Amino acid sequence: MSKLVVNGSRRLSGEVKVQGSKNSTLPILAATILCSDECVLYNCPRISDVEASIRILRYLGCTAHRYENTLVINTRDMSRYDIPQDLMHQMRSSIIFLGVIIARCKRAKMSFPGGCELGPRPIDLHLSALRQMGIDITEEHGELECVAENGLKAAKIALSFPSVGATENIMLAAVTAKGTTIITNAAREPEIVDLADFLISCGAHISGAGEGTIIIDGVEKLKGTTHSIIPDRIVASTLMSCAAVTHSDITLKGVIQSHLTSTIPIFEQSGCEINFDKGVMKISSPYKLRGAKLIRTMPYPGFPTDEQAPIMSLAAVSDGITVFVENMFESRYKHVSELCRLGANIKVEGKVAVVDGVKRLLSANVTALDLRGAAALVVAALCAQGRTEISGIDFLERGYEDFEGVLTNLGADIKKV
Ligand code: UD1
């Protein structure tokens, strides 16, 4: 099992290009199935969740070739409509293949997505929306069997919660369904807009992506296209946390400022100075950081749940108290016990975590238990005094491309052993 070994308390400097977004790449890879043709995707991160999606595409009979960060996918010869359990369990967001497989094959068979490390993550919103679109879904022994003999039909779908995955699955099912589908209370994340942009360039008729109501006029078929994935706003904010806790000045290239509107104020309240110029962000961290007082995770454009863990490491070494309220997922405080092993002072009560900043963290051996928790431990280790070993880095590799390489280039002392 690999570990990361970090010798902390080093200042960082230099510039880094932020990788492409994991949460955009995954649904867009699934969406290529609708094109029955070749798609070229630029800026795809080299991370294990993307590799898991590629394994699913290949199992289904599609071809996928990687040239550095470019993926060339051809789904013309897709020959199956089922996904076996071991592939479904490698990546929880594999459920995103449901809508596209039914849209293309009129049937789909897969198990419930696996490995849920953030507490229960039901898919009831996905299933009830797809049922509204004329799909007959049987759920038995953890298996989903879906049939739409007469194809998919458009529907008016009001989501009770703006679920990202459900919004994406409905969009993917609706683009080639008969009629006009209207999704209200849709998720508004930038990754939804990226998916819509990809689908529109394949010939889909979609309006309203990024707003609460999305309207999709079904078309007969889509064609292949080329598309560049948006930068990963969560990786950008993790790197900002790395700079902040090490009192460093770094430059992030390829960042979209409007995707970080709820993130930037947190860093500014901490005392960091942030300047943007044409997609280039400079962040400069002061010697003494201040706590951000209150951070509540919310659907976009609110503060993202995915940034809660890395920014908690920043709060752990900032002066004063920061209160976190995690509104999106249960069990998303697994990093807290590990941060406390590094000397952080954090108390959790249900969805609330109270962080009382300490002067410094001290090294220890810690274990990552989920993706963003792993990122939080790297942030903390960068500012902890001494040598910290982080196990469970498979989680980190699900979403961060060569993170130790990126940080080494910025001057960190971090090695994978
Ligand atoms: C996506 C992101 C993930 C991010 C999350 C919230 C991807 C691949 N993953 O996950 O990184 O943390 O959005 O921004 O894009 N829910 C239900 N029923 C459903 C669907 C969701 O109750 O059918 C609940 C979930 O349990 C959770 C909340 O809704 O509590 C948010 O989930 P959702 O927005 O669907 O997140 P994901 O799409 O799974």
Side-chain angles (χ1 to χ4, degrees), residues 4 6 22 117-118 121 234 238 241-242 304-314 326 329 331-340 342 346 361 366-382 388-400 403:
L4 283 179
V6 185
K22 166 177 92 70
E117 69 276 7
L118 305 178
R121 288 178 93 166
I234 312 298
T238 306
S241 300
C242 294
T305 173
D306 288 348
E307 292 180 16
Q308 176 256 106
I311 288 184
M312 190 176 286
S313 296
L314 165 62
E326 173 53 63
F329 290 107
S331 309
R332 207 160 200 188
Y333 283 139
K334 286 185 179 164
H335 47 284
V336 166
S337 58
E338 302 304 288
L339 289 179
C340 291
L342 293 167
I346 307 171
L361 298 177
V366 289
T367 304
L369 297 165
D370 62 41
L371 164 59
R372 305 301 169 189
L377 295 180
V378 174
V379 175
L382 288 174
T388 296
E389 285 189 16
I390 307 172
S391 315
I393 62 165
D394 290 2
F395 286 113
L396 187 73
E397 291 169 355
R398 282 188 41 208
Y400 292 80
F403 206 42

Short mmCIF file of all heavy atoms in Angstrom, two decimals, residues 4 6 22 117-118 121 234 238 241-242 304-314 326 329 331-340 342 346 361 366-382 388-400 403:
data_model
loop_
_atom_site.label_atom_id
_atom_site.label_comp_id
_atom_site.label_asym_id
_atom_site.label_seq_id
_atom_site.Cartn_x
_atom_site.Cartn_y
_atom_site.Cartn_z
N LEU A 4 1.87 8.63 1.49
CA LEU A 4 2.55 9.90 1.22
C LEU A 4 3.35 10.27 2.45
O LEU A 4 2.83 10.18 3.58
CB LEU A 4 1.55 11.01 0.90
CG LEU A 4 0.92 11.01 -0.48
CD1 LEU A 4 -0.08 12.15 -0.61
CD2 LEU A 4 1.97 11.12 -1.58
N VAL A 6 5.29 13.42 4.10
CA VAL A 6 5.39 14.87 3.94
C VAL A 6 6.24 15.45 5.07
O VAL A 6 5.97 15.18 6.25
CB VAL A 6 3.98 15.53 4.01
CG1 VAL A 6 4.06 17.03 3.72
CG2 VAL A 6 3.01 14.85 3.06
N LYS A 22 -12.84 16.60 -12.50
CA LYS A 22 -13.31 15.21 -12.39
C LYS A 22 -14.83 15.16 -12.58
O LYS A 22 -15.34 14.34 -13.34
CB LYS A 22 -12.96 14.66 -10.99
CG LYS A 22 -13.70 13.37 -10.64
CD LYS A 22 -13.28 12.81 -9.31
CE LYS A 22 -14.12 13.25 -8.14
NZ LYS A 22 -15.49 12.71 -8.10
N GLU A 117 -18.64 6.16 0.86
CA GLU A 117 -17.90 6.53 2.06
C GLU A 117 -18.43 7.80 2.72
O GLU A 117 -17.87 8.27 3.69
CB GLU A 117 -16.40 6.64 1.73
CG GLU A 117 -16.00 7.79 0.85
CD GLU A 117 -16.16 7.52 -0.63
OE1 GLU A 117 -16.71 6.47 -1.02
OE2 GLU A 117 -15.73 8.38 -1.40
N LEU A 118 -19.51 8.36 2.19
CA LEU A 118 -20.02 9.63 2.76
C LEU A 118 -21.38 9.45 3.42
O LEU A 118 -22.16 10.37 3.50
CB LEU A 118 -20.14 10.70 1.67
CG LEU A 118 -18.89 11.01 0.86
CD1 LEU A 118 -19.19 12.04 -0.19
CD2 LEU A 118 -17.77 11.49 1.77
N ARG A 121 -26.09 7.37 0.21
CA ARG A 121 -26.23 8.25 -0.96
C ARG A 121 -27.27 7.62 -1.87
O ARG A 121 -26.95 6.94 -2.82
CB ARG A 121 -24.89 8.42 -1.68
CG ARG A 121 -23.94 9.28 -0.89
CD ARG A 121 -22.61 9.42 -1.57
NE ARG A 121 -22.53 10.58 -2.42
CZ ARG A 121 -21.36 11.04 -2.90
NH1 ARG A 121 -20.23 10.44 -2.61
NH2 ARG A 121 -21.34 12.09 -3.67
N ILE A 234 -12.55 22.40 -7.39
CA ILE A 234 -12.24 21.84 -6.06
C ILE A 234 -10.73 21.69 -5.90
O ILE A 234 -10.16 21.98 -4.85
CB ILE A 234 -12.93 20.47 -5.86
CG1 ILE A 234 -14.41 20.54 -6.26
CG2 ILE A 234 -12.75 19.96 -4.44
CD1 ILE A 234 -15.26 21.48 -5.47
N THR A 238 -8.29 23.49 -3.23
CA THR A 238 -7.37 22.71 -2.39
C THR A 238 -5.97 23.32 -2.48
O THR A 238 -5.27 23.47 -1.46
CB THR A 238 -7.33 21.23 -2.85
OG1 THR A 238 -8.65 20.72 -2.87
CG2 THR A 238 -6.48 20.39 -1.91
N SER A 241 -5.75 26.33 -0.43
CA SER A 241 -5.57 25.97 0.99
C SER A 241 -4.11 25.63 1.28
O SER A 241 -3.56 26.01 2.32
CB SER A 241 -6.43 24.77 1.38
OG SER A 241 -7.78 25.06 1.16
N CYS A 242 -3.47 24.91 0.33
CA CYS A 242 -2.05 24.55 0.51
C CYS A 242 -1.21 25.82 0.63
O CYS A 242 -0.31 25.91 1.48
CB CYS A 242 -1.54 23.72 -0.68
SG CYS A 242 -2.30 22.11 -0.82
N PRO A 304 -19.25 24.77 -1.58
CA PRO A 304 -19.30 23.35 -1.95
C PRO A 304 -18.88 22.41 -0.82
O PRO A 304 -17.87 22.64 -0.16
CB PRO A 304 -18.29 23.24 -3.10
CG PRO A 304 -17.74 24.58 -3.34
CD PRO A 304 -18.17 25.50 -2.25
N THR A 305 -19.66 21.36 -0.67
CA THR A 305 -19.33 20.33 0.33
C THR A 305 -17.94 19.72 0.07
O THR A 305 -17.23 19.34 0.99
CB THR A 305 -20.41 19.22 0.34
OG1 THR A 305 -19.99 18.17 1.18
CG2 THR A 305 -20.69 18.65 -1.04
N ASP A 306 -17.54 19.66 -1.22
CA ASP A 306 -16.25 19.05 -1.55
C ASP A 306 -15.06 19.89 -1.03
O ASP A 306 -13.94 19.40 -0.98
CB ASP A 306 -16.11 18.87 -3.07
CG ASP A 306 -16.99 17.74 -3.58
OD1 ASP A 306 -17.52 16.98 -2.75
OD2 ASP A 306 -17.15 17.63 -4.80
N GLU A 307 -15.32 21.16 -0.71
CA GLU A 307 -14.21 22.00 -0.21
C GLU A 307 -14.17 22.04 1.32
O GLU A 307 -13.26 22.62 1.90
CB GLU A 307 -14.36 23.43 -0.76
CG GLU A 307 -14.13 23.49 -2.25
CD GLU A 307 -14.28 24.91 -2.81
OE1 GLU A 307 -14.25 25.87 -2.03
OE2 GLU A 307 -14.42 25.03 -4.04
N GLN A 308 -15.21 21.45 1.93
CA GLN A 308 -15.29 21.54 3.40
C GLN A 308 -14.05 20.96 4.09
O GLN A 308 -13.45 21.59 4.97
CB GLN A 308 -16.58 20.83 3.83
CG GLN A 308 -16.81 20.73 5.32
CD GLN A 308 -16.53 19.32 5.81
OE1 GLN A 308 -15.52 19.07 6.45
NE2 GLN A 308 -17.41 18.39 5.49
N ALA A 309 -13.62 19.76 3.65
CA ALA A 309 -12.50 19.10 4.35
C ALA A 309 -11.18 19.85 4.17
O ALA A 309 -10.52 20.19 5.17
CB ALA A 309 -12.39 17.65 3.89
N PRO A 310 -10.76 20.17 2.91
CA PRO A 310 -9.47 20.87 2.79
C PRO A 310 -9.48 22.23 3.49
O PRO A 310 -8.47 22.64 4.08
CB PRO A 310 -9.31 21.06 1.27
CG PRO A 310 -10.25 20.13 0.63
CD PRO A 310 -11.32 19.79 1.60
N ILE A 311 -10.63 22.92 3.48
CA ILE A 311 -10.67 24.24 4.12
C ILE A 311 -10.73 24.11 5.64
O ILE A 311 -10.31 25.01 6.38
CB ILE A 311 -11.79 25.10 3.49
CG1 ILE A 311 -11.31 25.49 2.08
CG2 ILE A 311 -12.11 26.34 4.32
CD1 ILE A 311 -12.18 26.39 1.28
N MET A 312 -11.17 22.94 6.13
CA MET A 312 -11.12 22.73 7.58
C MET A 312 -9.67 22.69 8.07
O MET A 312 -9.35 23.13 9.18
CB MET A 312 -11.84 21.44 7.97
CG MET A 312 -12.02 21.34 9.47
SD MET A 312 -12.95 19.91 9.99
CE MET A 312 -14.61 20.36 9.53
N SER A 313 -8.77 22.18 7.21
CA SER A 313 -7.34 22.18 7.61
C SER A 313 -6.82 23.61 7.72
O SER A 313 -6.00 23.92 8.58
CB SER A 313 -6.51 21.40 6.59
OG SER A 313 -6.91 20.06 6.60
N LEU A 314 -7.32 24.48 6.85
CA LEU A 314 -6.95 25.90 6.93
C LEU A 314 -7.49 26.49 8.24
O LEU A 314 -6.77 27.17 8.98
CB LEU A 314 -7.51 26.63 5.70
CG LEU A 314 -7.57 28.15 5.72
CD1 LEU A 314 -6.16 28.73 5.84
CD2 LEU A 314 -8.22 28.68 4.43
N GLU A 326 -22.32 21.03 7.82
CA GLU A 326 -22.31 20.17 6.61
C GLU A 326 -23.76 19.78 6.30
O GLU A 326 -24.35 18.94 6.98
CB GLU A 326 -21.43 18.94 6.86
CG GLU A 326 -21.45 17.88 5.76
CD GLU A 326 -21.16 18.42 4.37
OE1 GLU A 326 -20.04 18.91 4.16
OE2 GLU A 326 -22.05 18.35 3.49
N PHE A 329 -24.03 16.01 3.00
CA PHE A 329 -23.84 14.57 3.20
C PHE A 329 -23.68 14.26 4.69
O PHE A 329 -23.07 15.04 5.43
CB PHE A 329 -22.58 14.06 2.48
CG PHE A 329 -22.73 14.05 0.99
CD1 PHE A 329 -22.07 14.98 0.21
CD2 PHE A 329 -23.51 13.09 0.35
CE1 PHE A 329 -22.20 14.98 -1.17
CE2 PHE A 329 -23.64 13.08 -1.03
CZ PHE A 329 -22.99 14.02 -1.79
N SER A 331 -21.82 11.77 7.43
CA SER A 331 -20.50 11.13 7.47
C SER A 331 -19.46 11.86 6.63
O SER A 331 -18.67 11.22 5.94
CB SER A 331 -20.55 9.68 6.96
OG SER A 331 -21.54 8.97 7.59
N ARG A 332 -19.51 13.19 6.60
CA ARG A 332 -18.48 13.86 5.83
C ARG A 332 -17.49 14.57 6.76
O ARG A 332 -16.87 15.55 6.40
CB ARG A 332 -19.08 14.83 4.83
CG ARG A 332 -18.12 14.97 3.67
CD ARG A 332 -18.62 15.47 2.40
NE ARG A 332 -17.67 15.05 1.36
CZ ARG A 332 -17.74 15.46 0.11
NH1 ARG A 332 -18.67 16.25 -0.29
NH2 ARG A 332 -16.84 15.04 -0.76
N TYR A 333 -17.34 14.01 7.98
CA TYR A 333 -16.36 14.56 8.91
C TYR A 333 -15.32 13.51 9.30
O TYR A 333 -14.75 13.57 10.38
CB TYR A 333 -17.08 15.07 10.17
CG TYR A 333 -17.79 16.41 9.98
CD1 TYR A 333 -19.05 16.62 10.53
CD2 TYR A 333 -17.18 17.46 9.29
CE1 TYR A 333 -19.70 17.85 10.39
CE2 TYR A 333 -17.82 18.69 9.14
CZ TYR A 333 -19.07 18.87 9.69
OH TYR A 333 -19.70 20.09 9.55
N LYS A 334 -15.09 12.53 8.40
CA LYS A 334 -14.18 11.43 8.77
C LYS A 334 -12.74 11.90 8.92
O LYS A 334 -11.94 11.23 9.56
CB LYS A 334 -14.26 10.32 7.73
CG LYS A 334 -15.53 9.53 7.83
CD LYS A 334 -15.50 8.38 6.86
CE LYS A 334 -16.77 7.57 6.98
NZ LYS A 334 -16.94 6.69 5.84
N HIS A 335 -12.42 13.05 8.31
CA HIS A 335 -11.05 13.58 8.42
C HIS A 335 -10.80 14.22 9.77
O HIS A 335 -9.66 14.44 10.14
CB HIS A 335 -10.82 14.61 7.31
CG HIS A 335 -11.94 15.60 7.20
ND1 HIS A 335 -13.14 15.28 6.61
CD2 HIS A 335 -12.07 16.87 7.64
CE1 HIS A 335 -13.95 16.32 6.68
NE2 HIS A 335 -13.33 17.30 7.30
N VAL A 336 -11.89 14.49 10.54
CA VAL A 336 -11.72 15.26 11.78
C VAL A 336 -10.82 14.52 12.78
O VAL A 336 -9.89 15.11 13.34
CB VAL A 336 -13.10 15.59 12.40
CG1 VAL A 336 -12.95 16.08 13.83
CG2 VAL A 336 -13.81 16.63 11.55
N SER A 337 -11.07 13.22 12.97
CA SER A 337 -10.28 12.49 13.97
C SER A 337 -8.80 12.50 13.57
O SER A 337 -7.90 12.60 14.42
CB SER A 337 -10.78 11.06 14.13
OG SER A 337 -10.71 10.43 12.87
N GLU A 338 -8.54 12.43 12.26
CA GLU A 338 -7.14 12.42 11.80
C GLU A 338 -6.51 13.80 11.96
O GLU A 338 -5.34 13.91 12.34
CB GLU A 338 -7.06 11.95 10.34
CG GLU A 338 -7.65 10.56 10.11
CD GLU A 338 -7.03 9.50 10.99
OE1 GLU A 338 -5.87 9.14 10.75
OE2 GLU A 338 -7.70 9.05 11.94
N LEU A 339 -7.29 14.86 11.69
CA LEU A 339 -6.74 16.22 11.90
C LEU A 339 -6.43 16.41 13.38
O LEU A 339 -5.44 17.06 13.74
CB LEU A 339 -7.73 17.28 11.41
CG LEU A 339 -7.92 17.39 9.89
CD1 LEU A 339 -8.95 18.46 9.54
CD2 LEU A 339 -6.60 17.71 9.19
N CYS A 340 -7.27 15.84 14.26
CA CYS A 340 -7.02 15.97 15.70
C CYS A 340 -5.73 15.23 16.08
O CYS A 340 -5.00 15.67 16.97
CB CYS A 340 -8.21 15.44 16.51
SG CYS A 340 -9.65 16.52 16.33
N LEU A 342 -3.18 15.25 14.40
CA LEU A 342 -2.10 16.18 14.05
C LEU A 342 -2.10 17.41 14.97
O LEU A 342 -1.33 18.35 14.75
CB LEU A 342 -2.27 16.64 12.59
CG LEU A 342 -2.06 15.56 11.51
CD1 LEU A 342 -2.56 16.02 10.16
CD2 LEU A 342 -0.59 15.16 11.41
N ILE A 346 -10.85 20.21 17.21
CA ILE A 346 -12.13 20.21 16.49
C ILE A 346 -13.14 19.34 17.25
O ILE A 346 -12.82 18.22 17.65
CB ILE A 346 -11.96 19.62 15.06
CG1 ILE A 346 -10.83 20.35 14.31
CG2 ILE A 346 -13.27 19.71 14.27
CD1 ILE A 346 -10.44 19.71 12.98
N LEU A 361 0.31 22.67 13.85
CA LEU A 361 0.02 21.23 13.88
C LEU A 361 1.34 20.49 14.01
O LEU A 361 2.40 21.00 13.61
CB LEU A 361 -0.70 20.81 12.60
CG LEU A 361 -2.06 21.47 12.33
CD1 LEU A 361 -2.63 20.99 10.99
CD2 LEU A 361 -3.05 21.13 13.45
N VAL A 366 -1.29 9.31 9.81
CA VAL A 366 -2.75 9.46 9.66
C VAL A 366 -3.24 8.67 8.47
O VAL A 366 -2.45 8.29 7.59
CB VAL A 366 -3.14 10.96 9.51
CG1 VAL A 366 -2.95 11.72 10.81
CG2 VAL A 366 -2.36 11.63 8.38
N THR A 367 -4.57 8.44 8.44
CA THR A 367 -5.16 7.62 7.38
C THR A 367 -6.32 8.35 6.73
O THR A 367 -7.22 8.82 7.43
CB THR A 367 -5.68 6.28 7.97
OG1 THR A 367 -4.58 5.65 8.63
CG2 THR A 367 -6.22 5.35 6.90
N ALA A 368 -6.29 8.42 5.40
CA ALA A 368 -7.41 9.03 4.67
C ALA A 368 -8.54 8.02 4.54
O ALA A 368 -8.30 6.84 4.30
CB ALA A 368 -6.94 9.45 3.28
N LEU A 369 -9.78 8.51 4.70
CA LEU A 369 -10.93 7.62 4.62
C LEU A 369 -11.90 8.00 3.50
O LEU A 369 -12.87 7.30 3.24
CB LEU A 369 -11.67 7.60 5.97
CG LEU A 369 -10.82 7.05 7.12
CD1 LEU A 369 -11.43 7.37 8.47
CD2 LEU A 369 -10.62 5.54 6.98
N ASP A 370 -11.66 9.12 2.86
CA ASP A 370 -12.42 9.48 1.66
C ASP A 370 -11.60 10.49 0.85
O ASP A 370 -10.55 10.96 1.30
CB ASP A 370 -13.83 10.01 1.98
CG ASP A 370 -13.84 11.27 2.81
OD1 ASP A 370 -13.01 12.16 2.55
OD2 ASP A 370 -14.69 11.39 3.71
N LEU A 371 -12.11 10.80 -0.35
CA LEU A 371 -11.33 11.60 -1.31
C LEU A 371 -10.96 12.99 -0.76
O LEU A 371 -9.79 13.36 -0.71
CB LEU A 371 -12.15 11.72 -2.60
CG LEU A 371 -11.79 12.77 -3.63
CD1 LEU A 371 -10.37 12.61 -4.13
CD2 LEU A 371 -12.75 12.69 -4.82
N ARG A 372 -11.95 13.77 -0.38
CA ARG A 372 -11.63 15.15 0.05
C ARG A 372 -10.98 15.16 1.43
O ARG A 372 -10.22 16.08 1.76
CB ARG A 372 -12.87 16.02 0.02
CG ARG A 372 -13.60 16.05 -1.33
CD ARG A 372 -12.74 16.55 -2.48
NE ARG A 372 -13.40 16.29 -3.77
CZ ARG A 372 -12.83 16.46 -4.94
NH1 ARG A 372 -11.57 16.85 -5.05
NH2 ARG A 372 -13.49 16.19 -6.06
N GLY A 373 -11.27 14.13 2.23
CA GLY A 373 -10.59 13.99 3.52
C GLY A 373 -9.09 13.78 3.30
O GLY A 373 -8.25 14.30 4.03
N ALA A 374 -8.76 13.00 2.26
CA ALA A 374 -7.34 12.77 1.93
C ALA A 374 -6.68 14.09 1.58
O ALA A 374 -5.56 14.38 2.02
CB ALA A 374 -7.24 11.79 0.76
N ALA A 375 -7.38 14.92 0.80
CA ALA A 375 -6.82 16.23 0.42
C ALA A 375 -6.61 17.09 1.67
O ALA A 375 -5.60 17.79 1.79
CB ALA A 375 -7.76 16.92 -0.56
N ALA A 376 -7.56 17.00 2.61
CA ALA A 376 -7.44 17.78 3.85
C ALA A 376 -6.18 17.38 4.61
O ALA A 376 -5.47 18.23 5.18
CB ALA A 376 -8.67 17.56 4.74
N LEU A 377 -5.88 16.08 4.62
CA LEU A 377 -4.69 15.61 5.35
C LEU A 377 -3.41 16.09 4.68
O LEU A 377 -2.43 16.41 5.36
CB LEU A 377 -4.70 14.08 5.47
CG LEU A 377 -5.87 13.52 6.30
CD1 LEU A 377 -5.80 11.99 6.36
CD2 LEU A 377 -5.85 14.10 7.72
N VAL A 378 -3.41 16.16 3.35
CA VAL A 378 -2.22 16.68 2.66
C VAL A 378 -2.04 18.16 3.02
O VAL A 378 -0.92 18.60 3.36
CB VAL A 378 -2.34 16.52 1.12
CG1 VAL A 378 -1.18 17.19 0.42
CG2 VAL A 378 -2.41 15.03 0.76
N VAL A 379 -3.13 18.94 3.00
CA VAL A 379 -3.04 20.36 3.36
C VAL A 379 -2.46 20.49 4.77
O VAL A 379 -1.52 21.27 5.02
CB VAL A 379 -4.43 21.05 3.28
CG1 VAL A 379 -4.34 22.49 3.78
CG2 VAL A 379 -4.98 21.01 1.85
N ALA A 380 -3.00 19.70 5.70
CA ALA A 380 -2.55 19.79 7.09
C ALA A 380 -1.08 19.39 7.22
O ALA A 380 -0.30 20.04 7.92
CB ALA A 380 -3.43 18.90 7.97
N ALA A 381 -0.70 18.31 6.51
CA ALA A 381 0.68 17.81 6.63
C ALA A 381 1.68 18.84 6.11
O ALA A 381 2.81 18.92 6.61
CB ALA A 381 0.82 16.50 5.85
N LEU A 382 1.26 19.64 5.13
CA LEU A 382 2.18 20.64 4.56
C LEU A 382 2.57 21.69 5.58
O LEU A 382 3.64 22.30 5.48
CB LEU A 382 1.54 21.34 3.35
CG LEU A 382 1.40 20.51 2.07
CD1 LEU A 382 0.63 21.29 1.02
CD2 LEU A 382 2.76 20.09 1.52
N THR A 388 5.04 13.72 8.41
CA THR A 388 3.71 13.10 8.51
C THR A 388 3.58 12.02 7.44
O THR A 388 3.95 12.24 6.28
CB THR A 388 2.61 14.16 8.29
OG1 THR A 388 2.69 15.12 9.34
CG2 THR A 388 1.21 13.57 8.28
N GLU A 389 3.07 10.86 7.85
CA GLU A 389 2.79 9.79 6.87
C GLU A 389 1.29 9.67 6.69
O GLU A 389 0.55 9.57 7.67
CB GLU A 389 3.33 8.45 7.37
CG GLU A 389 4.84 8.36 7.25
CD GLU A 389 5.34 6.94 7.55
OE1 GLU A 389 4.53 5.98 7.56
OE2 GLU A 389 6.55 6.82 7.77
N ILE A 390 0.86 9.69 5.42
CA ILE A 390 -0.58 9.59 5.13
C ILE A 390 -0.85 8.29 4.39
O ILE A 390 -0.34 8.07 3.29
CB ILE A 390 -1.06 10.78 4.26
CG1 ILE A 390 -0.66 12.12 4.90
CG2 ILE A 390 -2.57 10.71 4.05
CD1 ILE A 390 -0.93 13.33 4.01
N SER A 391 -1.65 7.41 5.00
CA SER A 391 -2.06 6.16 4.32
C SER A 391 -3.42 6.39 3.68
O SER A 391 -4.09 7.39 3.96
CB SER A 391 -2.21 5.01 5.31
OG SER A 391 -1.14 4.98 6.18
N GLY A 392 -3.84 5.43 2.87
CA GLY A 392 -5.17 5.52 2.22
C GLY A 392 -5.16 6.50 1.06
O GLY A 392 -6.18 7.11 0.75
N ILE A 393 -4.01 6.62 0.37
CA ILE A 393 -3.95 7.65 -0.67
C ILE A 393 -4.64 7.23 -1.98
O ILE A 393 -4.73 8.03 -2.90
CB ILE A 393 -2.50 8.14 -0.93
CG1 ILE A 393 -1.63 7.01 -1.42
CG2 ILE A 393 -1.93 8.81 0.30
CD1 ILE A 393 -0.34 7.52 -2.01
N ASP A 394 -5.14 5.98 -2.00
CA ASP A 394 -5.99 5.60 -3.15
C ASP A 394 -7.14 6.58 -3.28
O ASP A 394 -7.58 6.90 -4.38
CB ASP A 394 -6.61 4.21 -2.94
CG ASP A 394 -5.58 3.12 -3.01
OD1 ASP A 394 -4.38 3.45 -3.18
OD2 ASP A 394 -5.95 1.94 -2.88
N PHE A 395 -7.64 7.03 -2.14
CA PHE A 395 -8.75 7.97 -2.17
C PHE A 395 -8.34 9.26 -2.87
O PHE A 395 -9.08 9.81 -3.68
CB PHE A 395 -9.23 8.30 -0.75
CG PHE A 395 -10.01 7.17 -0.12
CD1 PHE A 395 -9.51 6.49 0.98
CD2 PHE A 395 -11.24 6.80 -0.62
CE1 PHE A 395 -10.23 5.46 1.56
CE2 PHE A 395 -11.98 5.77 -0.05
CZ PHE A 395 -11.46 5.10 1.05
N LEU A 396 -7.13 9.74 -2.54
CA LEU A 396 -6.64 10.99 -3.15
C LEU A 396 -6.55 10.84 -4.67
O LEU A 396 -6.92 11.74 -5.43
CB LEU A 396 -5.26 11.33 -2.57
CG LEU A 396 -4.70 12.68 -2.96
CD1 LEU A 396 -5.43 13.80 -2.23
CD2 LEU A 396 -3.21 12.78 -2.67
N GLU A 397 -6.08 9.66 -5.08
CA GLU A 397 -5.84 9.43 -6.51
C GLU A 397 -7.14 9.29 -7.31
O GLU A 397 -7.12 9.33 -8.53
CB GLU A 397 -4.92 8.21 -6.69
CG GLU A 397 -3.54 8.58 -6.18
CD GLU A 397 -2.58 7.40 -6.03
OE1 GLU A 397 -3.01 6.26 -6.24
OE2 GLU A 397 -1.42 7.67 -5.69
N ARG A 398 -8.27 9.16 -6.61
CA ARG A 398 -9.56 9.17 -7.32
C ARG A 398 -9.82 10.53 -7.96
O ARG A 398 -10.56 10.60 -8.95
CB ARG A 398 -10.69 8.88 -6.33
CG ARG A 398 -10.85 7.41 -5.96
CD ARG A 398 -12.10 7.22 -5.16
NE ARG A 398 -13.17 8.03 -5.74
CZ ARG A 398 -14.19 8.53 -5.06
NH1 ARG A 398 -14.31 8.30 -3.77
NH2 ARG A 398 -15.11 9.26 -5.66
N GLY A 399 -9.26 11.60 -7.37
CA GLY A 399 -9.65 12.93 -7.86
C GLY A 399 -8.52 13.90 -8.12
O GLY A 399 -8.76 14.95 -8.71
N TYR A 400 -7.30 13.61 -7.66
CA TYR A 400 -6.19 14.56 -7.81
C TYR A 400 -5.12 13.93 -8.67
O TYR A 400 -4.57 12.88 -8.33
CB TYR A 400 -5.61 14.95 -6.43
CG TYR A 400 -6.58 15.77 -5.60
CD1 TYR A 400 -7.63 15.16 -4.90
CD2 TYR A 400 -6.47 17.15 -5.54
CE1 TYR A 400 -8.53 15.90 -4.16
CE2 TYR A 400 -7.36 17.91 -4.79
CZ TYR A 400 -8.39 17.29 -4.10
OH TYR A 400 -9.29 18.04 -3.37
N PHE A 403 -0.81 14.55 -7.45
CA PHE A 403 -0.82 15.69 -6.52
C PHE A 403 0.55 15.90 -5.88
O PHE A 403 0.98 17.03 -5.65
CB PHE A 403 -1.90 15.47 -5.44
CG PHE A 403 -2.42 16.74 -4.85
CD1 PHE A 403 -2.70 17.85 -5.63
CD2 PHE A 403 -2.66 16.85 -3.48
CE1 PHE A 403 -3.21 19.03 -5.10
CE2 PHE A 403 -3.16 18.02 -2.93
CZ PHE A 403 -3.42 19.11 -3.75
#
